Amino acid sequence: MKRLILLLPALCMLGCDVSEQADTKVEYLQMPGMEERNLPFSSAVRVGETLYLSGNLGNVPGTLQLVDGGIVAETRQTLENIKATLTEFGSSMDEVVKCTVFLADINEWSAMNEVYRTYFEKPPARSALGSSGLALNARVEIECIAITR
């Protein structure tokens, strides 16, 4: 408790409204039609003006079936799924500030990147890594953080 009391004056000197931070609402959000799937994660979580998206795959919307066509088609569908989620919850691809890309085969990096770059006018910060396996045997999974206005 002493640390918090000592920290509060420092926060106030920075112009922070501590009461506003403590009142930040957390919303757990599901895309329409996903509630009945009973999956162990939310489509997105909104904390204040920040939207945290769960990892998205290149599945046909509303199903657990991946699109045909390999890494290029899956990357395109993954980003379309992200775009739909952002739109549903009050954001857009232009508001994405960070992405993490998981690839089943890091050798598909270039092919994924060619599609990925077409979705962002101003590229967000990004991390990427190879994985030993993704859900549904997907080739790519992408998670994002975006702001809402």
Side-chain angles (χ1 to χ4, degrees), residues 39 56-60 63-67 74 133-141:
L39 298 172
N56 277 264
L57 305 174
N59 59 295
V60 176
T63 76
L64 296 178
Q65 181 177 338
L66 296 171
V67 296
E74 282 188 43
L134 299 172
L136 306 180
N137 291 317
R139 307 302 311 150
V140 63
E141 180 172 349

mmCIF file with all atom_site columns, all heavy atoms in Angstrom, residues 39 56-60 63-67 74 133-141:
data_model
loop_
_atom_site.group_PDB
_atom_site.id
_atom_site.type_symbol
_atom_site.label_atom_id
_atom_site.label_alt_id
_atom_site.label_comp_id
_atom_site.label_asym_id
_atom_site.label_entity_id
_atom_site.label_seq_id
_atom_site.pdbx_PDB_ins_code
_atom_site.Cartn_x
_atom_site.Cartn_y
_atom_site.Cartn_z
_atom_site.occupancy
_atom_site.B_iso_or_equiv
_atom_site.pdbx_formal_charge
_atom_site.auth_seq_id
_atom_site.auth_comp_id
_atom_site.auth_asym_id
_atom_site.auth_atom_id
_atom_site.pdbx_PDB_model_num
ATOM 1   N N   . LEU A 1 39  ? -16.286 -21.462 -27.729 1.00 0.00 ? 39  LEU A N   1
ATOM 2   C CA  . LEU A 1 39  ? -14.827 -21.505 -27.790 1.00 0.00 ? 39  LEU A CA  1
ATOM 3   C C   . LEU A 1 39  ? -14.238 -20.867 -26.530 1.00 0.00 ? 39  LEU A C   1
ATOM 4   O O   . LEU A 1 39  ? -14.853 -19.988 -25.930 1.00 0.00 ? 39  LEU A O   1
ATOM 5   C CB  . LEU A 1 39  ? -14.344 -20.771 -29.050 1.00 0.00 ? 39  LEU A CB  1
ATOM 6   C CG  . LEU A 1 39  ? -14.818 -21.377 -30.369 1.00 0.00 ? 39  LEU A CG  1
ATOM 7   C CD1 . LEU A 1 39  ? -14.454 -20.475 -31.536 1.00 0.00 ? 39  LEU A CD1 1
ATOM 8   C CD2 . LEU A 1 39  ? -14.219 -22.763 -30.565 1.00 0.00 ? 39  LEU A CD2 1
ATOM 9   N N   . ASN A 1 56  ? -6.406  -14.841 -35.480 1.00 0.00 ? 56  ASN A N   1
ATOM 10  C CA  . ASN A 1 56  ? -7.350  -15.174 -36.547 1.00 0.00 ? 56  ASN A CA  1
ATOM 11  C C   . ASN A 1 56  ? -6.680  -16.106 -37.541 1.00 0.00 ? 56  ASN A C   1
ATOM 12  O O   . ASN A 1 56  ? -5.486  -15.978 -37.823 1.00 0.00 ? 56  ASN A O   1
ATOM 13  C CB  . ASN A 1 56  ? -7.802  -13.904 -37.278 1.00 0.00 ? 56  ASN A CB  1
ATOM 14  C CG  . ASN A 1 56  ? -8.918  -13.202 -36.561 1.00 0.00 ? 56  ASN A CG  1
ATOM 15  O OD1 . ASN A 1 56  ? -10.075 -13.395 -36.877 1.00 0.00 ? 56  ASN A OD1 1
ATOM 16  N ND2 . ASN A 1 56  ? -8.577  -12.380 -35.561 1.00 0.00 ? 56  ASN A ND2 1
ATOM 17  N N   . LEU A 1 57  ? -7.482  -17.006 -38.076 1.00 0.00 ? 57  LEU A N   1
ATOM 18  C CA  . LEU A 1 57  ? -7.034  -17.945 -39.097 1.00 0.00 ? 57  LEU A CA  1
ATOM 19  C C   . LEU A 1 57  ? -7.725  -17.621 -40.418 1.00 0.00 ? 57  LEU A C   1
ATOM 20  O O   . LEU A 1 57  ? -8.645  -16.803 -40.450 1.00 0.00 ? 57  LEU A O   1
ATOM 21  C CB  . LEU A 1 57  ? -7.398  -19.379 -38.690 1.00 0.00 ? 57  LEU A CB  1
ATOM 22  C CG  . LEU A 1 57  ? -6.906  -19.874 -37.341 1.00 0.00 ? 57  LEU A CG  1
ATOM 23  C CD1 . LEU A 1 57  ? -7.490  -21.249 -37.046 1.00 0.00 ? 57  LEU A CD1 1
ATOM 24  C CD2 . LEU A 1 57  ? -5.394  -19.905 -37.293 1.00 0.00 ? 57  LEU A CD2 1
ATOM 25  N N   . GLY A 1 58  ? -7.345  -18.325 -41.451 1.00 0.00 ? 58  GLY A N   1
ATOM 26  C CA  . GLY A 1 58  ? -7.968  -18.145 -42.760 1.00 0.00 ? 58  GLY A CA  1
ATOM 27  C C   . GLY A 1 58  ? -9.179  -19.034 -42.958 1.00 0.00 ? 58  GLY A C   1
ATOM 28  O O   . GLY A 1 58  ? -9.332  -19.660 -44.003 1.00 0.00 ? 58  GLY A O   1
ATOM 29  N N   . ASN A 1 59  ? -10.051 -19.053 -41.950 1.00 0.00 ? 59  ASN A N   1
ATOM 30  C CA  . ASN A 1 59  ? -11.256 -19.883 -42.064 1.00 0.00 ? 59  ASN A CA  1
ATOM 31  C C   . ASN A 1 59  ? -12.379 -19.120 -42.768 1.00 0.00 ? 59  ASN A C   1
ATOM 32  O O   . ASN A 1 59  ? -12.445 -17.893 -42.711 1.00 0.00 ? 59  ASN A O   1
ATOM 33  C CB  . ASN A 1 59  ? -11.725 -20.357 -40.690 1.00 0.00 ? 59  ASN A CB  1
ATOM 34  C CG  . ASN A 1 59  ? -12.046 -19.211 -39.760 1.00 0.00 ? 59  ASN A CG  1
ATOM 35  O OD1 . ASN A 1 59  ? -11.153 -18.445 -39.398 1.00 0.00 ? 59  ASN A OD1 1
ATOM 36  N ND2 . ASN A 1 59  ? -13.297 -19.087 -39.365 1.00 0.00 ? 59  ASN A ND2 1
ATOM 37  N N   . VAL A 1 60  ? -13.248 -19.867 -43.416 1.00 0.00 ? 60  VAL A N   1
ATOM 38  C CA  . VAL A 1 60  ? -14.451 -19.302 -44.016 1.00 0.00 ? 60  VAL A CA  1
ATOM 39  C C   . VAL A 1 60  ? -15.282 -18.741 -42.854 1.00 0.00 ? 60  VAL A C   1
ATOM 40  O O   . VAL A 1 60  ? -15.516 -19.453 -41.870 1.00 0.00 ? 60  VAL A O   1
ATOM 41  C CB  . VAL A 1 60  ? -15.241 -20.378 -44.788 1.00 0.00 ? 60  VAL A CB  1
ATOM 42  C CG1 . VAL A 1 60  ? -16.542 -19.824 -45.323 1.00 0.00 ? 60  VAL A CG1 1
ATOM 43  C CG2 . VAL A 1 60  ? -14.383 -20.974 -45.896 1.00 0.00 ? 60  VAL A CG2 1
ATOM 44  N N   . THR A 1 63  ? -17.457 -20.609 -39.949 1.00 0.00 ? 63  THR A N   1
ATOM 45  C CA  . THR A 1 63  ? -17.137 -22.047 -39.963 1.00 0.00 ? 63  THR A CA  1
ATOM 46  C C   . THR A 1 63  ? -15.751 -22.262 -39.367 1.00 0.00 ? 63  THR A C   1
ATOM 47  O O   . THR A 1 63  ? -15.017 -21.311 -39.105 1.00 0.00 ? 63  THR A O   1
ATOM 48  C CB  . THR A 1 63  ? -17.125 -22.614 -41.402 1.00 0.00 ? 63  THR A CB  1
ATOM 49  O OG1 . THR A 1 63  ? -15.925 -22.196 -42.061 1.00 0.00 ? 63  THR A OG1 1
ATOM 50  C CG2 . THR A 1 63  ? -18.342 -22.177 -42.191 1.00 0.00 ? 63  THR A CG2 1
ATOM 51  N N   . LEU A 1 64  ? -15.415 -23.510 -39.200 1.00 0.00 ? 64  LEU A N   1
ATOM 52  C CA  . LEU A 1 64  ? -14.061 -23.874 -38.778 1.00 0.00 ? 64  LEU A CA  1
ATOM 53  C C   . LEU A 1 64  ? -13.291 -24.500 -39.941 1.00 0.00 ? 64  LEU A C   1
ATOM 54  O O   . LEU A 1 64  ? -12.318 -25.207 -39.745 1.00 0.00 ? 64  LEU A O   1
ATOM 55  C CB  . LEU A 1 64  ? -14.124 -24.838 -37.585 1.00 0.00 ? 64  LEU A CB  1
ATOM 56  C CG  . LEU A 1 64  ? -14.737 -24.256 -36.313 1.00 0.00 ? 64  LEU A CG  1
ATOM 57  C CD1 . LEU A 1 64  ? -14.797 -25.307 -35.211 1.00 0.00 ? 64  LEU A CD1 1
ATOM 58  C CD2 . LEU A 1 64  ? -13.975 -23.023 -35.849 1.00 0.00 ? 64  LEU A CD2 1
ATOM 59  N N   . GLN A 1 65  ? -13.712 -24.178 -41.170 1.00 0.00 ? 65  GLN A N   1
ATOM 60  C CA  . GLN A 1 65  ? -13.068 -24.719 -42.367 1.00 0.00 ? 65  GLN A CA  1
ATOM 61  C C   . GLN A 1 65  ? -12.150 -23.667 -42.979 1.00 0.00 ? 65  GLN A C   1
ATOM 62  O O   . GLN A 1 65  ? -12.576 -22.535 -43.257 1.00 0.00 ? 65  GLN A O   1
ATOM 63  C CB  . GLN A 1 65  ? -14.119 -25.140 -43.393 1.00 0.00 ? 65  GLN A CB  1
ATOM 64  C CG  . GLN A 1 65  ? -13.508 -25.731 -44.638 1.00 0.00 ? 65  GLN A CG  1
ATOM 65  C CD  . GLN A 1 65  ? -14.567 -26.214 -45.619 1.00 0.00 ? 65  GLN A CD  1
ATOM 66  O OE1 . GLN A 1 65  ? -15.701 -26.479 -45.245 1.00 0.00 ? 65  GLN A OE1 1
ATOM 67  N NE2 . GLN A 1 65  ? -14.169 -26.320 -46.872 1.00 0.00 ? 65  GLN A NE2 1
ATOM 68  N N   . LEU A 1 66  ? -10.892 -24.034 -43.215 1.00 0.00 ? 66  LEU A N   1
ATOM 69  C CA  . LEU A 1 66  ? -9.939  -23.122 -43.849 1.00 0.00 ? 66  LEU A CA  1
ATOM 70  C C   . LEU A 1 66  ? -10.241 -22.992 -45.336 1.00 0.00 ? 66  LEU A C   1
ATOM 71  O O   . LEU A 1 66  ? -10.728 -23.933 -45.961 1.00 0.00 ? 66  LEU A O   1
ATOM 72  C CB  . LEU A 1 66  ? -8.515  -23.654 -43.678 1.00 0.00 ? 66  LEU A CB  1
ATOM 73  C CG  . LEU A 1 66  ? -7.997  -23.731 -42.249 1.00 0.00 ? 66  LEU A CG  1
ATOM 74  C CD1 . LEU A 1 66  ? -6.666  -24.471 -42.212 1.00 0.00 ? 66  LEU A CD1 1
ATOM 75  C CD2 . LEU A 1 66  ? -7.862  -22.346 -41.646 1.00 0.00 ? 66  LEU A CD2 1
ATOM 76  N N   . VAL A 1 67  ? -9.947  -21.823 -45.892 1.00 0.00 ? 67  VAL A N   1
ATOM 77  C CA  . VAL A 1 67  ? -10.094 -21.636 -47.332 1.00 0.00 ? 67  VAL A CA  1
ATOM 78  C C   . VAL A 1 67  ? -9.038  -22.476 -48.041 1.00 0.00 ? 67  VAL A C   1
ATOM 79  O O   . VAL A 1 67  ? -7.975  -22.761 -47.483 1.00 0.00 ? 67  VAL A O   1
ATOM 80  C CB  . VAL A 1 67  ? -9.951  -20.146 -47.736 1.00 0.00 ? 67  VAL A CB  1
ATOM 81  C CG1 . VAL A 1 67  ? -11.055 -19.303 -47.149 1.00 0.00 ? 67  VAL A CG1 1
ATOM 82  C CG2 . VAL A 1 67  ? -8.588  -19.597 -47.373 1.00 0.00 ? 67  VAL A CG2 1
ATOM 83  N N   . GLU A 1 74  ? -4.941  -18.278 -47.468 1.00 0.00 ? 74  GLU A N   1
ATOM 84  C CA  . GLU A 1 74  ? -5.189  -18.223 -46.026 1.00 0.00 ? 74  GLU A CA  1
ATOM 85  C C   . GLU A 1 74  ? -4.815  -16.860 -45.441 1.00 0.00 ? 74  GLU A C   1
ATOM 86  O O   . GLU A 1 74  ? -5.521  -16.343 -44.571 1.00 0.00 ? 74  GLU A O   1
ATOM 87  C CB  . GLU A 1 74  ? -4.430  -19.333 -45.294 1.00 0.00 ? 74  GLU A CB  1
ATOM 88  C CG  . GLU A 1 74  ? -5.088  -20.678 -45.420 1.00 0.00 ? 74  GLU A CG  1
ATOM 89  C CD  . GLU A 1 74  ? -4.434  -21.719 -44.526 1.00 0.00 ? 74  GLU A CD  1
ATOM 90  O OE1 . GLU A 1 74  ? -4.130  -21.409 -43.350 1.00 0.00 ? 74  GLU A OE1 1
ATOM 91  O OE2 . GLU A 1 74  ? -4.234  -22.851 -45.006 1.00 0.00 ? 74  GLU A OE2 1
ATOM 92  N N   . GLY A 1 133 ? 2.980   -25.887 -35.184 1.00 0.00 ? 133 GLY A N   1
ATOM 93  C CA  . GLY A 1 133 ? 1.625   -26.264 -35.557 1.00 0.00 ? 133 GLY A CA  1
ATOM 94  C C   . GLY A 1 133 ? 0.629   -25.204 -35.123 1.00 0.00 ? 133 GLY A C   1
ATOM 95  O O   . GLY A 1 133 ? 0.814   -24.549 -34.098 1.00 0.00 ? 133 GLY A O   1
ATOM 96  N N   . LEU A 1 134 ? -0.394  -24.996 -35.922 1.00 0.00 ? 134 LEU A N   1
ATOM 97  C CA  . LEU A 1 134 ? -1.446  -24.029 -35.623 1.00 0.00 ? 134 LEU A CA  1
ATOM 98  C C   . LEU A 1 134 ? -2.794  -24.737 -35.602 1.00 0.00 ? 134 LEU A C   1
ATOM 99  O O   . LEU A 1 134 ? -2.949  -25.813 -36.196 1.00 0.00 ? 134 LEU A O   1
ATOM 100 C CB  . LEU A 1 134 ? -1.455  -22.907 -36.681 1.00 0.00 ? 134 LEU A CB  1
ATOM 101 C CG  . LEU A 1 134 ? -0.182  -22.079 -36.785 1.00 0.00 ? 134 LEU A CG  1
ATOM 102 C CD1 . LEU A 1 134 ? -0.252  -21.156 -37.997 1.00 0.00 ? 134 LEU A CD1 1
ATOM 103 C CD2 . LEU A 1 134 ? 0.056   -21.283 -35.513 1.00 0.00 ? 134 LEU A CD2 1
ATOM 104 N N   . ALA A 1 135 ? -3.769  -24.127 -34.958 1.00 0.00 ? 135 ALA A N   1
ATOM 105 C CA  . ALA A 1 135 ? -5.119  -24.695 -34.903 1.00 0.00 ? 135 ALA A CA  1
ATOM 106 C C   . ALA A 1 135 ? -5.631  -24.977 -36.310 1.00 0.00 ? 135 ALA A C   1
ATOM 107 O O   . ALA A 1 135 ? -5.338  -24.230 -37.254 1.00 0.00 ? 135 ALA A O   1
ATOM 108 C CB  . ALA A 1 135 ? -6.060  -23.732 -34.181 1.00 0.00 ? 135 ALA A CB  1
ATOM 109 N N   . LEU A 1 136 ? -6.388  -26.034 -36.451 1.00 0.00 ? 136 LEU A N   1
ATOM 110 C CA  . LEU A 1 136 ? -6.999  -26.458 -37.721 1.00 0.00 ? 136 LEU A CA  1
ATOM 111 C C   . LEU A 1 136 ? -5.965  -26.758 -38.804 1.00 0.00 ? 136 LEU A C   1
ATOM 112 O O   . LEU A 1 136 ? -6.285  -26.787 -39.985 1.00 0.00 ? 136 LEU A O   1
ATOM 113 C CB  . LEU A 1 136 ? -7.997  -25.402 -38.237 1.00 0.00 ? 136 LEU A CB  1
ATOM 114 C CG  . LEU A 1 136 ? -9.109  -24.962 -37.295 1.00 0.00 ? 136 LEU A CG  1
ATOM 115 C CD1 . LEU A 1 136 ? -9.992  -23.923 -37.964 1.00 0.00 ? 136 LEU A CD1 1
ATOM 116 C CD2 . LEU A 1 136 ? -9.940  -26.164 -36.841 1.00 0.00 ? 136 LEU A CD2 1
ATOM 117 N N   . ASN A 1 137 ? -4.701  -26.922 -38.420 1.00 0.00 ? 137 ASN A N   1
ATOM 118 C CA  . ASN A 1 137 ? -3.597  -27.117 -39.377 1.00 0.00 ? 137 ASN A CA  1
ATOM 119 C C   . ASN A 1 137 ? -3.449  -25.930 -40.320 1.00 0.00 ? 137 ASN A C   1
ATOM 120 O O   . ASN A 1 137 ? -3.086  -26.087 -41.489 1.00 0.00 ? 137 ASN A O   1
ATOM 121 C CB  . ASN A 1 137 ? -3.758  -28.422 -40.153 1.00 0.00 ? 137 ASN A CB  1
ATOM 122 C CG  . ASN A 1 137 ? -3.558  -29.629 -39.273 1.00 0.00 ? 137 ASN A CG  1
ATOM 123 O OD1 . ASN A 1 137 ? -2.630  -29.654 -38.460 1.00 0.00 ? 137 ASN A OD1 1
ATOM 124 N ND2 . ASN A 1 137 ? -4.429  -30.605 -39.395 1.00 0.00 ? 137 ASN A ND2 1
ATOM 125 N N   . ALA A 1 138 ? -3.738  -24.740 -39.810 1.00 0.00 ? 138 ALA A N   1
ATOM 126 C CA  . ALA A 1 138 ? -3.620  -23.518 -40.605 1.00 0.00 ? 138 ALA A CA  1
ATOM 127 C C   . ALA A 1 138 ? -2.162  -23.249 -40.960 1.00 0.00 ? 138 ALA A C   1
ATOM 128 O O   . ALA A 1 138 ? -1.244  -23.706 -40.275 1.00 0.00 ? 138 ALA A O   1
ATOM 129 C CB  . ALA A 1 138 ? -4.197  -22.330 -39.825 1.00 0.00 ? 138 ALA A CB  1
ATOM 130 N N   . ARG A 1 139 ? -1.961  -22.497 -42.025 1.00 0.00 ? 139 ARG A N   1
ATOM 131 C CA  . ARG A 1 139 ? -0.620  -22.079 -42.454 1.00 0.00 ? 139 ARG A CA  1
ATOM 132 C C   . ARG A 1 139 ? -0.210  -20.788 -41.746 1.00 0.00 ? 139 ARG A C   1
ATOM 133 O O   . ARG A 1 139 ? 0.974   -20.514 -41.596 1.00 0.00 ? 139 ARG A O   1
ATOM 134 C CB  . ARG A 1 139 ? -0.578  -21.843 -43.970 1.00 0.00 ? 139 ARG A CB  1
ATOM 135 C CG  . ARG A 1 139 ? -1.078  -22.963 -44.854 1.00 0.00 ? 139 ARG A CG  1
ATOM 136 C CD  . ARG A 1 139 ? -0.354  -24.285 -44.688 1.00 0.00 ? 139 ARG A CD  1
ATOM 137 N NE  . ARG A 1 139 ? 1.079   -24.139 -44.738 1.00 0.00 ? 139 ARG A NE  1
ATOM 138 C CZ  . ARG A 1 139 ? 1.936   -24.942 -44.072 1.00 0.00 ? 139 ARG A CZ  1
ATOM 139 N NH1 . ARG A 1 139 ? 1.492   -25.929 -43.336 1.00 0.00 ? 139 ARG A NH1 1
ATOM 140 N NH2 . ARG A 1 139 ? 3.227   -24.762 -44.161 1.00 0.00 ? 139 ARG A NH2 1
ATOM 141 N N   . VAL A 1 140 ? -1.219  -19.962 -41.340 1.00 0.00 ? 140 VAL A N   1
ATOM 142 C CA  . VAL A 1 140 ? -0.936  -18.656 -40.743 1.00 0.00 ? 140 VAL A CA  1
ATOM 143 C C   . VAL A 1 140 ? -1.993  -18.316 -39.700 1.00 0.00 ? 140 VAL A C   1
ATOM 144 O O   . VAL A 1 140 ? -3.161  -18.683 -39.857 1.00 0.00 ? 140 VAL A O   1
ATOM 145 C CB  . VAL A 1 140 ? -0.862  -17.551 -41.836 1.00 0.00 ? 140 VAL A CB  1
ATOM 146 C CG1 . VAL A 1 140 ? -2.182  -17.385 -42.555 1.00 0.00 ? 140 VAL A CG1 1
ATOM 147 C CG2 . VAL A 1 140 ? -0.381  -16.223 -41.266 1.00 0.00 ? 140 VAL A CG2 1
ATOM 148 N N   . GLU A 1 141 ? -1.567  -17.632 -38.655 1.00 0.00 ? 141 GLU A N   1
ATOM 149 C CA  . GLU A 1 141 ? -2.462  -17.065 -37.654 1.00 0.00 ? 141 GLU A CA  1
ATOM 150 C C   . GLU A 1 141 ? -1.928  -15.669 -37.337 1.00 0.00 ? 141 GLU A C   1
ATOM 151 O O   . GLU A 1 141 ? -0.721  -15.480 -37.207 1.00 0.00 ? 141 GLU A O   1
ATOM 152 C CB  . GLU A 1 141 ? -2.478  -17.916 -36.385 1.00 0.00 ? 141 GLU A CB  1
ATOM 153 C CG  . GLU A 1 141 ? -3.388  -17.369 -35.310 1.00 0.00 ? 141 GLU A CG  1
ATOM 154 C CD  . GLU A 1 141 ? -3.545  -18.315 -34.115 1.00 0.00 ? 141 GLU A CD  1
ATOM 155 O OE1 . GLU A 1 141 ? -3.126  -19.481 -34.200 1.00 0.00 ? 141 GLU A OE1 1
ATOM 156 O OE2 . GLU A 1 141 ? -4.103  -17.856 -33.099 1.00 0.00 ? 141 GLU A OE2 1
#
